[in-house]
């Protein structure tokens, strides 16, 4: 009888460990989603310029990795991949008319150097609202411009989508959640980015989607000057 009790006790422990292992496996699954930002333009924008500007932005999330795809007015695509795990970013330039498939990689050292220059400061404010079905929290993200003057961006973020590590190589490094709404100020006026949809069902996103495609080559400094302008 004693041996039976010991055997049953062992089975119970083993069962508990299996359940715990299953829960750990499930909790370790990365958050995967296709997120749509609606873009609104406020201010004195040239109608001819405004008509060519994007009205929405697609962002693909896989754990702490984020990929943003921008349509270059039908000419091609600019894709930005941010990796919060190793604090690196990659820009992919794909312009078929020029047979251009290039990438620009920004290493961790460069990103940390830039962060040191802008010296981000974050004020967390006791205010919440719902955005695209998620509870969003308010914060002020303050950086220094080239003259050392402060630039303040009000941003609403969700820790439910990501705890903030995804921002390590992006515009809101240190923010404790995924940016759900923020305003970019330009000379012509403001650009408001607001998440309108978070799609998590049947989304076909793989971790390999965040790698540099094998048919892309690194953009040289000379090619960058020719493409984007700039002095020798």
């Amino acid at each position: 009888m004693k041996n039976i009790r010991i055997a049953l006790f062992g089975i119970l422990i083993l069962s508990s460990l299996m359940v715990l292992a299953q829960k750990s496996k499930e909790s370790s699954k990365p958050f995967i989603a296709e997120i749509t930002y609606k873009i609104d333009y406020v201010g004195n924008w040239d109608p001819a310029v405004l008509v060519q500007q994007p009205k929405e932005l697609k962002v693909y999330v896989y754990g702490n990795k984020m990929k943003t795809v921008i349509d270059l007015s039908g000419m091609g695509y600019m894709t930005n991949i941010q990796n919060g795990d190793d604090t690196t970013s990659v820009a992919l330039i794909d312009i078929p008319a020029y047979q251009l498939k290039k990438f620009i990689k920004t290493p961790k050292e460069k990103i940390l150097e830039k962060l040191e220059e802008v010296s981000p400061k974050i004020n967390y404010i006791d205010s919440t609202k719902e955005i695209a079905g998620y509870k969003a929290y308010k914060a002020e993200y303050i950086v220094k411009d080239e003259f050392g003057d402060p630039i303040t961006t009000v941003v609403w973020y969700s820790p439910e989508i990501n705890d903030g590590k995804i921002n390590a190589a992006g515009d809101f490094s240190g923010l404790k959640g995924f940016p759900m709404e923020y305003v970019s100020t330009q000379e012509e006026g403001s650009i408001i980015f607001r998440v309108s949809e978070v799609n998590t069902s049947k989304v076909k996103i793989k971790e390999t989607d965040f790698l540099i495609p094998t048919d892309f080559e690194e953009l040289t400094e000379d090619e960058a000057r020719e493409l984007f302008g700039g002095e020798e």
Side-chain angles (χ1 to χ4, degrees):
M1 182 67 71
K2 183 178 180 181
N3 290 336
I4 293 174
R5 289 198 190 98
I6 292 173
L8 289 173
F9 184 65
I11 291 170
L12 287 172
I13 291 176
L14 183 60
S15 299
S16 299
L17 289 173
M18 289 176 67
V19 170
L20 181 61
Q22 182 64 29
K23 286 183 177 180
S24 298
K25 185 177 179 182
E26 290 175 357
S27 63
S28 66
K29 287 182 179 179
F31 181 88
I32 300 173
E34 178 184 275
I35 298 175
T36 304
Y37 280 94
K38 180 185 176 185
I39 308 174
D40 292 316
Y41 300 84
V42 180
N44 301 316
W45 293 88
D46 183 340
V49 173
L50 195 59
V51 75
Q52 299 180 39
Q53 301 308 306
K55 301 302 185 291
E56 70 173 30
L57 203 61
K58 291 286 186 182
V59 176
Y60 303 91
V61 171
Y62 187 99
N64 294 321
K65 299 178 178 68
M66 176 167 61
K67 180 167 73 171
T68 305
V69 181
I70 303 171
D71 188 339
L72 301 175
S73 302
M75 289 182 60
Y77 295 92
M78 175 82 82
T79 302
N80 186 47
I81 300 172
Q82 298 172 10
N83 189 332
D85 290 324
D86 62 8
T87 317
T88 60
S89 69
V90 174
L92 304 177
I93 306 165
D94 186 0
I95 305 177
Y98 295 96
Q99 297 183 337
L100 190 68
K101 285 187 177 232
K102 297 288 184 177
F103 72 86
I104 306 170
K105 186 169 183 176
T106 306
K108 180 177 181 178
E109 294 74 20
K110 287 284 185 183
I111 291 173
L112 295 180
E113 183 181 315
K114 181 64 177 177
L115 277 175
E116 190 174 343
E117 289 177 7
V118 300
S119 302
K121 178 184 176 184
I122 307 172
N123 295 329
Y124 292 98
I125 299 167
D126 187 16
S127 181
T128 62
K129 67 177 180 179
E130 185 175 298
I131 301 176
Y134 289 81
K135 187 176 183 179
Y137 300 81
K138 188 177 183 180
E140 291 178 337
Y141 195 86
I142 307 166
V143 297
K144 294 179 182 178
D145 66 11
E146 57 185 318
F147 304 107
D149 298 323
I151 301 174
T152 301
T153 300
V154 174
V155 56
W156 296 82
Y157 65 96
S158 169
E160 189 176 349
I161 291 178
N162 189 274
D163 61 6
K165 194 172 182 180
I166 198 170
N167 301 317
D171 295 329
F172 296 105
S173 181
L175 186 69
K176 298 177 181 178
F178 185 86
M180 302 292 285
E181 180 183 317
Y182 59 96
V183 180
S184 174
T185 304
Q186 310 290 327
E187 289 184 5
E188 300 86 348
S190 299
I191 307 175
I192 304 169
F193 296 83
R194 182 183 298 109
V195 171
S196 59
E197 182 182 9
V198 179
N199 182 15
T200 58
S201 62
K202 298 181 180 179
V203 179
K204 296 180 179 179
I205 300 175
K206 308 181 298 296
E207 191 169 14
T208 52
D209 295 336
F210 297 81
L211 300 176
I212 300 172
T214 56
D215 58 341
F216 277 67
E217 296 179 350
E218 188 164 12
L219 192 73
T220 66
E221 291 185 10
D222 289 340
E223 288 172 329
R225 278 193 289 268
E226 185 179 346
L227 189 61
F228 302 113
E231 299 179 357
E232 295 287 340

